[in-house]
Amino acid sequence: MLNYMVHKLTKNNLRTTLNFAQRHYITYKPKMADYNVRWAFNIITWKPTYEEILSASSYIQLEEKERLDRFVYQDDVKSSLIGRLMMRKFIHISTGIPYNELTFARDERGKPYLVGAGDVPINFNVSHQGDYSVLAGHKERNIGIDVMKVEPPVNKNVPEFFRLMTKQFSAHEWRTIKGYRTEKEQLKCFYRHWCLKEAYVKNIGVGLTIALNKITFVINTFDMSVGDIVTDTQLYVNDVLKRDWKIEETLLDEKHGVAVAIQVPKDYVTEPVSYSYLNFEELVKEAQPLNPPDQTFANSFLKKSMKPF
Ligand SMILES: CC(C)(COP(=O)(O)OP(=O)(O)OC[C@H]1O[C@@H](n2cnc3c(N)ncnc32)[C@H](O)[C@@H]1OP(=O)(O)O)[C@@H](O)C(=O)NCCC(=O)NCCS
């Protein structure tokens, strides 16, 4: 009984002093595996049914639903929608905060964050491009992720494309890219560097607003196979090696590379994590509606076309 009282009193006391997210940390014990995740969802093989879109419409915030409805193509709705559902699932399973009580907002540069997290260090970032939407989540450290499909530049040849991008890469990076013999290999290496840069700028939240040629990635493992996790790429900012940044790179398939950037204190151990490929059922396993299902949204989705390119 005493234990119960102490527990009850402590809990009541905590309820008044701790914020929303912290309270849930106390009452819910997430599995360690849910603390540091890498998820990928193939949006091309997902052919959503009307019911799936209808249910998904009830799992996202109204302003995000309105944003998605403004997209012209189904592919863009799907990739961004999956990103929203990944965020909600990750925060729910890693904190125990009820699914339908989570509120996300965006900062002044568009980066989503959990409202009311206070000091609870929970971080996530989403990326979508090509066939995939991906999420990296970490319970403590800021995290940035980027997925990139290797595809030929639109309406340009490779030398012209590289010329336009000259200022975005450092001299060292251009030497690495152009060190490859064929244009195909050069393009692959170009996208690998671009992906790394985006993961870094997305971690710090600034997006592509900073001088990208001041950020240099030095690649040490040149050959990557699908599923390998490469962790020896180094980051230099203004020519200074940033030893506290951990970089993870993986190929999801032959055409899609993904990079994750995390800043960690010295001696902090963070294991590289393999990607789990989710399907829609797994993605919404824990989902609870925030709003009623929206038939107008689902009908509007079905009327949209797929991208012609
Ligand atoms: C962040 C940025 C690099 C993403 O570029 P991208 O390669 O087209 O997009 P990705 O697919 O990798 O990532 C998109 C996701 O990243 C997240 N995101 C958005 N802005 C972000 C930012 N500043 N930092 C980190 N993540 C961000 C979102 O979840 C977004 O998906 P969603 O909009 O569907 O929810 C780019 O949007 C950018 O430079 N933004 C900053 C621009 C800015 O400062 N604008 C100010 C006025 S809004």
Side-chain angles (χ1 to χ4, degrees):
M1 187 60 161
L2 181 66
N3 278 347
Y4 172 77
M5 289 297 289
V6 170
H7 176 70
K8 196 86 181 144
L9 281 169
T10 315
K11 234 174 140 185
N12 283 343
N13 198 21
L14 284 171
R15 271 184 197 290
T16 56
T17 54
L18 298 181
N19 70 31
F20 178 68
Q22 287 167 321
R23 287 202 303 271
H24 285 288
Y25 255 58
I26 292 159
T27 51
Y28 183 85
K29 297 254 179 299
K31 295 193 275 299
M32 282 308 283
D34 297 335
Y35 280 163
N36 189 12
V37 307
R38 309 286 179 270
W39 289 338
F41 186 105
N42 188 315
I43 60 133
I44 300 299
T45 54
W46 180 47
K47 311 273 183 233
T49 61
Y50 179 79
E51 282 67 33
E52 285 176 332
I53 292 294
L54 197 59
S55 64
S57 73
S58 71
Y59 304 145
I60 52 172
Q61 288 167 218
L62 292 178
E63 73 281 10
E64 290 295 335
K65 196 174 63 181
E66 282 165 18
R67 189 181 62 88
L68 295 178
D69 201 25
R70 289 196 289 272
F71 287 128
V72 173
Y73 297 114
Q74 272 198 2
D75 319 48
D76 293 328
V77 180
K78 282 202 280 181
S79 53
S80 191
L81 170 67
I82 294 303
R84 304 303 300 182
L85 296 174
M86 282 178 162
M87 281 162 45
R88 200 164 272 278
K89 176 182 172 93
F90 170 64
I91 300 292
H92 168 67
I93 66 170
S94 61
T95 64
I97 302 174
Y99 192 93
N100 51 1
E101 288 180 30
L102 293 167
T103 306
F104 295 96
R106 289 178 188 261
D107 71 12
E108 67 283 2
R109 294 200 185 277
K111 186 174 185 174
Y113 64 91
L114 175 68
V115 175
D119 296 334
V120 173
I122 192 81
N123 288 288
F124 57 90
N125 196 221
V126 161
S127 179
H128 35 76
Q129 213 244 324
D131 299 2
Y132 288 96
S133 293
V134 292
L135 171 138
H138 197 283
K139 76 171 166 124
E140 286 171 349
R141 313 304 309 170
N142 268 351
I143 200 157
I145 190 167
D146 195 65
V147 61
M148 202 87 234
K149 183 175 185 180
V150 178
E151 47 196 353
V154 184
N155 298 334
K156 278 172 209 69
N157 60 35
V158 173
E160 172 67 356
F161 178 55
F162 283 175
R163 200 183 57 72
L164 288 172
M165 301 301 280
T166 304
K167 287 199 181 133
Q168 313 299 340
F169 293 82
S170 67
H172 175 89
E173 290 174 325
W174 279 122
R175 273 197 300 279
T176 310
I177 295 166
K178 296 204 174 154
Y180 280 93
R181 218 166 31 85
T182 65
E183 280 189 353
K184 200 175 160 196
E185 288 170 320
Q186 290 184 1
L187 207 54
K188 213 168 160 183
C189 188
F190 170 94
Y191 280 121
R192 182 171 174 188
H193 279 87
W194 187 255
C195 197
L196 286 162
K197 282 179 196 273
E198 286 223 30
Y200 170 70
V201 296
K202 289 184 71 191
N203 175 311
I204 56 178
V206 294
L208 301 175
T209 57
I210 56 170
L212 293 181
N213 58 2
K214 302 285 179 216
I215 306 162
T216 295
F217 284 93
V218 174
I219 289 175
N220 294 299
T221 300
F222 288 89
D223 294 323
M224 282 169 68
S225 302
V226 173
D228 287 353
I229 310 176
V230 170
T231 55
D232 60 358
T233 295
Q234 295 163 304
L235 165 69
Y236 287 75
V237 179
N238 293 322
D239 298 326
V240 178
L241 174 61
K242 298 290 173 185
R243 293 182 195 280
D244 53 344
W245 280 81
K246 303 270 180 226
I247 309 296
E248 287 172 24
E249 294 173 274
T250 302
L251 288 180
L252 296 175
D253 60 29
E254 289 301 338
K255 288 203 159 163
H256 292 81
V258 55
V260 168
I262 318 175
Q263 189 180 20
V264 293
K266 202 169 158 277
D267 300 329
Y268 185 96
V269 180
T270 170
E271 295 297 326
V273 187
S274 301
Y275 283 76
S276 300
Y277 292 76
L278 304 183
N279 59 32
F280 187 75
E281 202 184 328
E282 288 156 343
L283 187 61
V284 297
K285 199 170 135 206
E286 302 83 6
Q288 295 289 330
L290 289 57
N291 306 299
D294 184 339
Q295 292 185 359
T296 311
F297 176 84
N299 288 327
S300 152
F301 171 83
L302 291 182
K303 283 194 202 124
K304 293 180 199 282
S305 54
M306 304 294 277
K307 271 187 183 158
F309 42 88

